[in-house]
Amino acid sequence: MFKKNKLKFHPAYFNLRLLLEQLTQMFEIKLKEKGLYLKIDVDSSIPREIFHDKNKILQILINLVSNALKFTQKGGILISLRFDQEDLKRLHFTVSDTGRGIKDED
């Protein structure tokens, strides 16, 4: 996986919305067990297919959603996706939750 101290990058076109549906299905049972929701909010200007490393995006989102699930007891998790206003080639994924958060002193 590492090549000269760098991660290999395997970009290809893929359906972003389908990836997000798969992510939701992966967490469906755990969300139901905890009584939580997972909402996906993708800006309508984002195309269905994007050119990027699908597996890297999926792994990052799995890690973030897993962490959010761990610390959220009620409410849910929101994944939002927007274009960067200054660089329209850059996407911003935001994962937020209704969990307790981190104390200021931590």
Side-chain angles (χ1 to χ4, degrees):
M1 193 78 180
F2 289 92
K3 185 176 183 179
K4 294 185 180 180
N5 297 327
K6 293 185 179 184
L7 290 173
K8 288 184 181 178
F9 188 66
H10 302 286
Y13 283 100
F14 68 94
N15 186 318
L16 180 61
R17 284 164 181 78
L18 182 59
L19 178 87
L20 294 171
E21 286 176 26
Q22 292 169 343
L23 180 74
T24 301
Q25 290 172 355
M26 293 169 87
F27 288 98
E28 188 173 14
I29 292 171
K30 188 69 171 172
L31 288 162
K32 284 183 181 179
E33 286 175 355
K34 292 186 79 172
L36 301 174
Y37 63 82
L38 174 59
K39 181 179 178 194
I40 309 287
D41 180 27
V42 179
D43 189 277
S44 61
S45 65
I46 295 175
R48 246 188 210 300
E49 289 198 347
I50 64 170
F51 186 76
H52 208 289
D53 189 323
K54 174 184 175 180
N55 293 327
K56 295 244 187 313
I57 290 177
L58 182 60
Q59 187 60 55
I60 290 166
L61 290 172
I62 288 170
N63 291 345
L64 292 171
V65 172
S66 293
N67 194 51
L69 263 172
K70 190 183 309 182
F71 296 105
T72 303
Q73 303 306 317
K74 61 181 178 178
I77 301 162
L78 169 65
I79 298 173
S80 59
L81 183 55
R82 304 280 181 266
F83 274 120
D84 184 315
Q85 294 303 310
E86 295 176 18
D87 181 359
L88 294 178
K89 293 180 182 178
R90 185 173 294 195
L91 295 175
H92 282 268
F93 287 84
T94 304
V95 178
S96 54
D97 61 67
T98 57
R100 61 187 169 136
I102 300 172
K103 296 177 185 175
D104 288 337
E105 58 270 10
D106 293 341

